[in-house]
Every structure is written in structure tokens, then in C-alpha cells.
Amino acid sequence: MPQGTHHAEHTRSAVTALAGRLLDAWSARARDGAVAAEHPCDPGVPALAALLHDVGEQAGAATAARAVAVWARSAGRGPGHPALYDGGLAGTLVGLRLGARLHPQLHVAADRLRDRLVRIAPTRGPRRDGVTFADYDLIIGPCGTLLALCVDARPTPAQLEPFAGHVAALCDAEDLPRLRTAGYAGHPHLDWLDGRVNTGMGHGVAGVVAALTATVRRLGPRPDLTRALRHATRWLARQSFDDSRAIRTWDGAGLEGPPPTGPRARQAWCYGTPGVSWALWDAADALGDQGAAAWAAGAFTTLAEHYDETFHLFGDRPADVLALCHGAAGVLAVADAFGRHAGLPGADTLKARLLDHLLQRLPELHGLGEEAMGLLGGAAGSLCALLTAGQGASRTWLPCLGLR
């Protein structure tokens, strides 16, 4: 066997073995009622189990099926809000859909939950002015619900329209005034955002763009959707600037004056160039706008050429540097999407670097998994990225990140 093939098989088995160990350990903790690091409805465990089933051997498949069965028994115990994350019903829907790849009977529960989400959408009354995250975003708002409906399913127009119509209406003007947040003045963490428009994938316009793009790909280029997408994408492009490391990037909120000086350390799925440039490229691709797609690809290329693991990965916790939201796994997932769909050589190069970076840190991922197995902030999401980007496992979970 050639040395490179042997190395690839070794790393493949190391990742699948770790995924199996962490799923077994999570199942044992869950049966004992000891899982407290994430909401019981978080889709991380069934997402990882579905991918392990895709690539694993018989023992891995048995571990995966067992973990999904344990997860499904607690899937209705979340807070009851409609969010994709934070224990919401849309996240439960994702978990049921992905878990049904191992236990097909879960599709019945998923269909019922989907219908409930659609039924309650008009009664929630999300605001169209003075918004908070729950009124629009990907984490706890209708953009996340739109993306959840697209996971391993073929949603109908009637299922998407209650959410898509609201999100599109928030982008009815070029400067996106309806997306200016309110109610965060004096907040210990979000005071900086009060009265401003967030740019990011998790809580901002990039996530809005990702959800609208996913809708356009399924409903076609309806005038209200394409108009909203053009408003949002043009606004995002106007907020970009080159930092002192020659990366075309974005701050956490729209510019309120000249572009700031200095480097921008946060380059992640949630904020900065990775998530925002992908949202812009995918929207341009869906709309057939080759010029805008080339601009967005160029922005990501500046990141790929100047990305520095020692500077751009930072934080006090393993999740900050390893997980999907802030860490290496999220940038890996974005680079993999750019390489696959846009054919960017720089994306493939960065993907290879980040695969190696994470593979060298499997012991740290093990430690993270003992604490948290969530999708965005836990080891399950990091391992999902490794299995999809590194081993060609299913991409059906990627709408959870606004990717494909």
C-alpha cells in the first residue's frame, strides 16, 4: 500500500473511531440524565451519527443507530421556541430528518413537526421594525427555520412561503433599515449592536442572504425574493474593506464611517470573510450574476492567501478554536463548499491546511466532546466537518450552516 494511502486510511479511521467513542459516551451520559452542556434537541448528535453511518464500518453503524435512538427519546424536551439552534423546534426537525436515515420511522415525527412549524408561523407575529435576533436570524429566527426545512427534504412552496415572505419583506429597501436592531442598549454583550445592522452569518445579513438563496434555489427566482437578495447582497458588499493583513473583510455590524484600521482577528463562519463571502458567492451563483460571484470569490481568496491559524484562531475554550461557529471547523466547512461549488484553488489549499490542523488536534476534540456534543459549539459539528470535507460523507446537514 502506498505511504500516502496508508496515511489517509489511518486518519480516516482515527476520525471515525473518535466519532464512535464520543457518540457512545454521549449515549451513556444521556441515559443517565447527565447531558447538560447543550439542549437535548440540538441536532449535533443525529447529524454526526448519520455521517458516521455513511462512512463507518458495522461497529460504527451500530453506535450511530444507538445514539440516534437515545437522542430521539429526548427530542421533545427543548424550550419549545421555533429556533434552529438554542434547543428550538427547527433544530429538532433537523435532528429527526437526519436521524431518519438510520431510523426511517422518525420521518413521521419530522413531518408532524414540520407541519406544526408551518402552522404556527403566522401566529408568531415577528416584527418588521425594531427587530431582535428572533425576528430574522439564522440561530433563533425564521432564517434558521427556512434552512431547517431544506435539510434532507424537498419543502413545498406552502411550507417555505410563510418564512420567506417575512424575511424578504425585511429587505425591502437598499439600506436595510428594517434590520436595524433594537432593545440591546445596555446589554452586557450586545450593546455594540443596538441600532445597527449585523453583518454575520449567525445573527446578521449573511444569514438572511443564505436563507433567501436556499429559498430561491427551491422556489425559483420570484421577484420579491430576488429583489430582497439584491438589496441584501449589495448592502453587504458596501460594508467590506481591506484590513491591514490584506484580507477583504467585514466588521460585526455595518460601517458607520471610514473603514477601521488594523487587522480583523475574527475570521470564522459566524463573522468575517468566510461566512459572509460564501453567502455572497452562493447568492450570486443562484441569481446567475457572474460579476458578483467573481467578486465574492476574490474576497474569499484574500482570506485563503493570508489566513494565519496562530492569529485567526483564538479564545479561552476549545470551542473557540475547534468548533464550527468560531473555530477551524467552520472555516474548513466554508473552504470545502467554495472548493466544491466555485472551484477555487485557494479554497482547496486552505481546506487541506485546516484538515491537517484539526487532525493534529483530535485529542483536544475528544476533550471538547466530553463537555459538549452540539453542532455549532461542540465536537459533533467539528467531526461532521471532518467527515464531509475529508471523507466525502453526506452534505445533507450543511444547510444548517447556510452551506451546501
Side-chain angles (χ1 to χ4, degrees):
M1 179 183 293
Q3 184 176 357
T5 302
H6 176 77
H7 177 71
E9 287 300 319
H10 174 73
T11 56
R12 173 190 175 98
S13 63
V15 173
T16 56
L18 177 57
R21 287 198 303 274
L22 288 176
L23 286 174
D24 266 339
W26 180 90
S27 297
R29 294 197 305 271
R31 284 193 296 266
D32 294 339
V35 174
E38 62 268 332
H39 290 287
C41 298
D42 187 280
V45 164
L48 179 58
L51 298 192
L52 182 62
H53 183 269
D54 276 355
V55 302
E57 299 177 354
Q58 186 172 355
T63 290
R66 185 163 53 246
V68 169
V70 173
W71 178 89
R73 288 198 287 272
S74 62
R77 300 178 188 173
H81 55 66
L84 174 54
Y85 294 104
D86 197 30
L89 296 175
T92 305
L93 174 62
V94 168
L96 290 169
R97 284 283 182 234
L98 296 175
R101 297 171 72 87
L102 286 72
H103 297 284
Q105 66 270 28
L106 293 179
H107 276 305
V108 176
D111 288 345
R112 288 200 298 264
L113 180 53
R114 175 204 60 206
D115 293 346
R116 179 184 173 191
L117 281 167
V118 173
R119 187 171 60 252
I120 65 177
T123 69
R124 293 282 177 168
R127 288 170 286 198
R128 295 191 176 183
D129 292 288
V131 295
T132 62
F133 294 156
D135 297 308
Y136 69 92
D137 82 0
L138 186 156
I139 303 294
I140 60 173
C143 286
T145 306
L146 272 171
L147 292 169
L149 290 167
C150 297
V151 172
D152 210 21
R154 295 182 179 179
T156 66
Q159 291 159 4
L160 295 177
E161 283 166 354
F163 307 98
H166 169 72
V167 174
L170 293 175
C171 304
D172 61 357
E174 289 278 355
D175 289 336
L176 307 184
R178 295 189 188 278
L179 289 175
R180 288 193 176 274
T181 61
Y184 293 122
H187 190 282
H189 306 297
L190 298 172
D191 181 74
W192 63 273
L193 184 60
D194 192 61
R196 303 178 70 188
V197 180
N198 192 295
T199 63
M201 182 67 90
H203 294 302
V205 177
V208 170
V209 168
L212 288 172
T213 299
T215 306
V216 166
R217 290 193 184 279
R218 287 157 178 83
L219 298 185
R222 291 187 346 191
D224 60 328
L225 298 178
T226 57
R227 182 171 56 251
L229 257 183
R230 294 193 189 282
H231 288 165
T233 54
R234 290 169 181 168
W235 182 89
L236 266 180
R238 293 196 301 271
Q239 312 313 309
S240 68
F241 58 92
D242 292 330
D243 77 357
S244 62
R245 289 182 171 234
I247 295 172
R248 173 61 51 161
T249 194
W250 287 260
D251 267 350
L255 297 174
E256 295 186 330
T261 60
R264 286 297 172 270
R266 179 64 74 205
Q267 297 295 345
W269 169 83
C270 58
Y271 284 111
T273 303
V276 178
S277 64
W278 165 261
L280 289 173
W281 183 87
D282 198 32
D285 182 66
L287 295 175
D289 188 336
Q290 294 181 358
W295 186 91
F300 185 80
T301 298
T302 67
L303 176 84
E305 291 175 344
H306 299 286
Y307 188 78
D308 182 349
E309 291 89 338
T310 65
F311 178 75
H312 292 121
L313 295 173
F314 63 93
D316 298 326
R317 304 170 304 155
D320 293 328
V321 295
L322 298 173
L324 285 172
C325 191
H326 291 173
V331 185
L332 168 62
V334 174
D336 176 57
F338 261 114
R340 181 181 181 90
H341 298 292
L344 284 185
D348 288 334
T349 301
L350 181 58
K351 168 184 165 179
R353 282 173 54 187
L354 290 167
L355 279 170
D356 185 62
H357 181 86
L358 284 166
L359 290 171
Q360 291 182 31
R361 287 159 179 79
L362 292 184
E364 296 168 54
L365 266 180
H366 185 275
L368 175 60
E370 291 179 329
E371 298 177 5
M373 284 290 283
L375 192 65
L376 268 189
S382 300
L383 288 165
C384 284
L386 280 170
L387 290 170
T388 294
Q391 299 187 27
S394 171
R395 308 182 73 82
T396 53
W397 66 282
L398 288 171
C400 291
L401 302 179
L403 304 177
R404 57 185 176 92

